[in-house]
Amino acid sequence: MEAFIRKDKSAPSGVPQSWGAINWRRVERNVREMQIRIAKATQEGDWRRVKALQRSLTRSFSAKASAVRRVTENRGRKTAGVDRVLWDEPETRWEAIGQLKRRGYRPLPLRRVYIPKANGKERPLGIPTMLDRAMQALYLLALEPVSEGMSDPNSYGFRINRSTHDAMAQLFVNLSRKVSASWILEADIKGCFDNIDHEWLERNVPMDKAILRKWLKAGVVFQGQFQATDAGTPQGGIISPTLANVALNGLERDLTESLRAKLGVNQVRKLKVNVVRYADDFVITGSTPEVLEHEVKPWVEQFLAVRGLTLSTEKTRIVNIATGFDFLGWNFRKYSGTLLIKPSRKNVNAFYGKVKEIVSRHKTAKQEKLIDLLNPVLRGWALYHQPVAAKLTFTRVEHDVFGALWKWAKRRHSKKSAEWVRKKYFASVGTRNWVFGTAVRQKDGSKGWKDLYSLSSTPIQRHKKVRGDYHPFDPEQELYGETLRQERLLNSMSHRKQWIKLYMSQRGLCAVCQCKMTKETGWHDHHIEQRVHGGSDALGNRVLLHPICHVQVHHHGVTVVKPAPSI
C-alpha cells in the first residue's frame, strides 16, 4: 500500500515544515520505541533510567506532535478551556508543537462544568485549555508504560485494550461455577476523583513532580469565580484517569499478599477472595460474609485512607450472589445455581428515558431525521449489552420504544386513522413487521430505505477476555495485542460489512499514514474518486483513513492509491 504526500522541496530532508508534512508513521514508531524502553526499565526496577527516558520522551518532537494530534482529534477538540482557544487549523496545530515546553509552563485554571448523573445528581467536570490538555497527553505518553507495569491484573478501567466487558467476563469466571464464592463486597469510593490526596500523588506517581504539582494546584473557575484545588484530580483531564489508577493500584495484589501473610496461602485459597476493578468501581468476592466484613473491608478502608479516600457507607454493602448486585450497568445474579448477567434495571430505565427524551424533543422532525438521531443511541446500547443475557431485555425495550414512536406518529396526525398512520410510518421488511422506516434519496440520487435499528435482532456474542498479564508495551506480547485490537475493532464494525472488508484489506492500517486505526483514533470512509466527480460506492473506490488524514487528502494535496490485492 502506497500513499504519496506533497512535500516542500526547500525543506531539509526528513524534517517536516508544516502540520500536513508530518510523517505520522515515523512519529508513532519513535514514540512506541521509547515507551517500550521505559516499560523495560520499569520491569527491571531501574528508576533512574525510567526518569531519564521519560524526560527524553517528553522533549522529543514525535511525542509532542502525537500529543497535539490526540487533543485535536478527540471528541473534546471543539470544547475550549478558560482561554476560549481552539486548535482547529493546521497552522495553529503546528505552532502548538513548539509551545509544549517544560520551562516556563504554567497551567491555567480548569473551566468547571456540571453534567447530569443517572441518579439525578450532577458530576463536576474540569475542562483544561488546549495547551494544558496537550501537556497532559504528552506526559501521559511517558507515564503509561510505567503505570501499566505497576497495575493489578484485574484492573480494567482506562487501560489499553481493556474495557468494561473484560471486567464483566472476569466476574463471570469468579462467580459462575458451583464452587465459586457466594458473597460479594460491593464497594463505592466516596468522591474518588475529588478527594485523592495531593501529597500522596506527588510522592508516588512516577512522573515529573513539578509538572504534576502544577496541574494539581491549578484550581478551577466556575461562574467567573476562582476556586483553589486542595485535593483530587479533576474529572475531564486526559491524565486524570491514569492518576486515579496509579492511586488504586495494589488494591488487588497488596490485599492478597496481606491475607496470605496473616492467614496462610491455603486458607486464602479457600476464602476465594478476588478483586475486579474498573477505575474507581470495584467488587470483591469471598466465601463467607464474615471474611469480607472482618478481614477484607477493614483492610480496604485502611488502604484508601492512606490516599485520602473513604468508602461510601450508603452504597457499600455485602450481598449474596442469590440476591444479586449491579456493576457497570449489568446485574449479576444466580438463579438456582446458574449465574446470569443481564442489563440492570437502572441502566434500562436510564436508556429508555434517553430515547423518550429524544423523541419528545423532536415532535416536528422528519422521520428520516428522527431515525438518524435514534439509531446511534440504540445501536450503541445494544452492542454494549451484546455479550450478556440480554435477548429478553432487547425485546421488551424495543416494544417500549415502539410505543413511544407510535404516540409520536399519532400526535402528528391526530385526525387520521390508525391504519393511515401505520402505512405512513411503518412497513414490513422481510420477516419483520411494524418496522419504523421511510424511503430516502441517497447522495447519488438513487432511492434507498432507512429504518430504525432493531434491538431484538442484535445477536448475543460472548466477549473474549483480555489476559490478566497482558502488557501493551511488552514486545513479546505485540502479536497478541494486535490480534486482540483488530478483533475488537471488527466487532465494533459488525453492523457495516463493507467496513470490515476494507479494514481487513488494509490490515488495520490507515491508507495514508500507515498507522493503526483504533476506536480511539476513529476512521473515515474515503472515496478515492469523489462521488461528485462520478466516483462510485464500490469497494474498489474506497479506503479507510484516520480523520486527520482525511483532512490532509482534501485540503493538503495528499493522493491516496488503492492497495494491490494481497497474494
Side-chain angles (χ1 to χ4, degrees):
M1 186 184 298
E2 294 290 334
F4 301 93
I5 300 180
R6 185 182 301 165
K7 297 180 179 179
D8 182 357
K9 294 183 179 179
S10 64
S13 177
V15 180
Q17 297 297 304
S18 67
W19 181 259
I22 295 176
N23 184 331
W24 291 110
R25 188 179 186 184
R26 180 179 296 175
V27 164
E28 184 180 87
R29 184 172 64 247
N30 291 344
V31 172
R32 177 75 178 175
E33 288 175 354
M34 189 67 76
Q35 288 179 316
I36 289 174
R37 293 172 64 190
I38 294 173
K40 183 179 179 181
T42 302
Q43 291 173 335
E44 295 172 352
D46 190 348
W47 295 106
R48 178 175 294 182
R49 181 165 175 75
V50 168
K51 187 175 181 179
L53 290 171
Q54 286 182 319
R55 183 166 56 247
S56 177
L57 177 61
T58 54
R59 292 178 178 179
S60 69
F61 171 85
S62 292
K64 292 178 180 180
S66 179
V68 173
R69 181 179 184 178
R70 173 171 180 173
V71 301
T72 54
E73 283 189 2
N74 62 19
R75 286 187 294 179
R77 64 187 180 277
K78 296 182 180 178
T79 304
V82 293
D83 60 356
R84 300 297 175 180
V85 172
L86 291 176
W87 295 342
D88 48 7
E89 297 294 335
E91 293 76 15
T92 57
R93 294 174 184 177
W94 176 254
E95 294 172 0
I97 296 176
Q99 298 175 29
L100 302 185
K101 297 178 180 178
R102 183 182 188 277
R103 185 186 296 274
Y105 169 66
R106 292 186 179 277
L108 292 175
L110 292 83
R111 181 163 67 90
R112 172 60 54 85
V113 297
Y114 290 88
I115 60 173
K117 296 172 63 176
N119 59 7
K121 297 182 180 180
E122 291 184 322
R123 183 190 307 276
L125 285 184
I127 302 176
T129 65
M130 293 297 291
L131 176 60
D132 294 335
R133 268 177 261 178
M135 285 292 285
Q136 289 189 19
L138 175 63
Y139 280 85
L140 180 58
L141 290 173
L143 175 60
E144 265 190 327
V146 186
S147 65
E148 282 291 337
M150 300 165 58
S151 294
D152 291 324
N154 293 305
S155 163
Y156 298 100
F158 303 104
R159 295 179 60 194
I160 299 170
N161 274 348
R162 292 174 182 248
S163 66
T164 53
H165 293 112
D166 291 308
M168 174 273 295
Q170 181 60 36
L171 274 175
F172 183 83
V173 171
N174 292 341
L175 298 170
S176 60
R177 292 170 294 179
K178 289 184 179 180
V179 295
S180 297
S182 299
W183 293 90
I184 296 93
L185 171 63
E186 188 182 357
D188 182 87
I189 301 175
K190 189 174 182 178
C192 177
F193 282 86
D194 297 326
N195 295 303
I196 300 177
D197 184 70
H198 282 181
E199 293 185 3
W200 189 94
L201 288 172
E202 290 177 23
R203 289 195 308 268
N204 293 278
V205 176
M207 65 167 289
D208 190 307
K209 309 299 182 185
I211 293 292
L212 176 60
R213 187 179 305 112
K214 289 179 180 180
W215 287 335
L216 296 176
K217 302 300 183 183
V220 298
V221 172
F222 180 62
Q223 296 180 342
Q225 298 294 318
F226 175 82
Q227 302 171 5
T229 48
D230 299 319
T233 60
Q235 296 185 62
I238 287 177
I239 204 170
S240 294
T242 303
L243 294 180
N245 269 339
V246 172
L248 296 177
N249 281 339
L251 183 63
E252 179 182 359
R253 283 197 177 103
D254 294 355
L255 172 60
T256 303
E257 291 177 4
S258 176
L259 291 176
R260 285 175 177 172
K262 184 177 181 179
L263 304 173
V265 174
N266 292 333
Q267 182 63 24
V268 170
R269 188 181 297 113
K270 294 178 182 178
L271 295 178
K272 302 171 185 176
V273 176
N274 298 286
V275 181
V276 176
R277 178 169 69 85
Y278 186 89
D280 59 331
D281 294 326
F282 63 93
V283 294
I284 304 177
T285 67
S287 58
T288 66
E290 289 78 18
V291 69
L292 294 176
E293 181 68 46
H294 302 301
E295 297 290 346
V296 173
K297 188 177 177 183
W299 186 94
V300 171
E301 289 174 335
Q302 184 179 2
F303 175 87
L304 295 176
V306 175
R307 293 151 176 80
L309 301 172
T310 58
L311 289 176
S312 170
T313 55
E314 299 83 8
K315 298 180 181 179
T316 300
R317 61 186 188 136
I318 296 174
V319 297
N320 190 277
I321 191 61
T323 304
F325 65 97
D326 291 349
F327 185 60
L328 300 177
W330 294 295
N331 179 261
F332 297 75
R333 184 179 174 185
K334 270 190 176 179
Y335 298 82
S336 302
T338 301
L339 178 68
L340 289 182
I341 307 174
K342 303 177 181 180
S344 69
R345 182 175 300 177
K346 181 179 177 181
N347 181 273
V348 171
N349 291 339
F351 167 72
Y352 181 57
K354 184 176 181 179
V355 171
K356 285 206 303 183
E357 182 184 1
I358 293 174
V359 174
S360 64
R361 281 195 288 111
H362 297 86
K363 293 183 175 70
T364 61
K366 291 183 178 180
Q367 185 180 11
E368 179 184 354
K369 173 67 174 177
L370 184 60
I371 292 173
D372 285 338
L373 291 170
L374 288 175
N375 273 354
V377 177
L378 294 170
R379 183 182 292 112
W381 185 76
L383 293 181
Y384 183 80
H385 294 293
Q386 187 178 35
V388 303
K391 205 67 176 179
L392 292 177
T393 303
F394 287 163
T395 302
R396 186 177 68 251
V397 173
E398 186 168 75
H399 180 269
D400 293 340
V401 171
F402 165 80
L405 292 174
W406 178 252
K407 290 179 181 178
W408 175 88
K410 285 284 289 179
R411 180 188 178 278
R412 295 163 69 91
H413 307 282
S414 57
K415 296 183 180 180
K416 297 291 185 179
S417 67
E419 180 63 16
W420 187 93
V421 173
R422 184 190 68 80
K423 288 182 178 180
K424 181 171 178 60
Y425 292 103
F426 298 88
S428 295
V429 179
T431 58
R432 296 169 56 208
N433 298 317
W434 289 88
V435 176
F436 188 73
T438 182
V440 296
R441 186 169 295 279
Q442 298 178 339
K443 292 181 179 180
D444 59 2
S446 62
K447 290 184 177 180
W449 174 259
K450 179 175 291 185
D451 57 31
L452 195 71
Y453 179 83
S454 173
L455 293 175
S456 61
S457 298
T458 304
I460 301 302
Q461 184 175 333
R462 298 305 175 195
H463 178 76
K464 181 180 178 181
K465 191 184 81 70
V466 68
R467 289 195 329 231
D469 64 347
Y470 170 63
H471 194 315
F473 300 103
D474 184 350
E476 294 183 1
Q477 300 189 45
E478 184 77 17
L479 178 60
Y480 170 78
E482 285 296 300
T483 303
L484 188 68
R485 177 185 63 82
Q486 292 195 19
E487 287 177 354
R488 294 185 174 183
L489 191 57
L490 287 172
N491 286 338
S492 70
M493 294 179 177
S494 58
H495 60 286
R496 293 293 298 271
K497 293 182 180 179
Q498 292 185 341
W499 283 357
I500 293 176
K501 291 180 180 178
L502 290 173
Y503 182 87
M504 294 298 290
S505 69
Q506 295 174 207
R507 305 188 307 279
L509 304 177
C510 170
V512 169
C513 70
Q514 295 288 288
C515 295
K516 304 169 192 172
M517 290 182 293
T518 66
K519 285 185 179 180
E520 290 71 28
T521 65
W523 62 86
H524 284 179
D525 189 347
H526 170 68
H527 288 68
I528 297 174
E529 184 179 358
Q530 297 182 30
R531 283 176 293 191
V532 295
H533 296 150
S536 71
D537 283 328
L539 293 181
N541 189 47
R542 291 159 58 192
V543 289
L544 297 181
L545 311 175
H546 287 130
I548 191 171
C549 295
H550 204 190
V551 173
Q552 289 181 340
V553 167
H554 286 285
H555 300 291
H556 301 292
V558 178
T559 303
V560 181
V561 178
K562 186 72 177 180
S566 301
I567 299 176

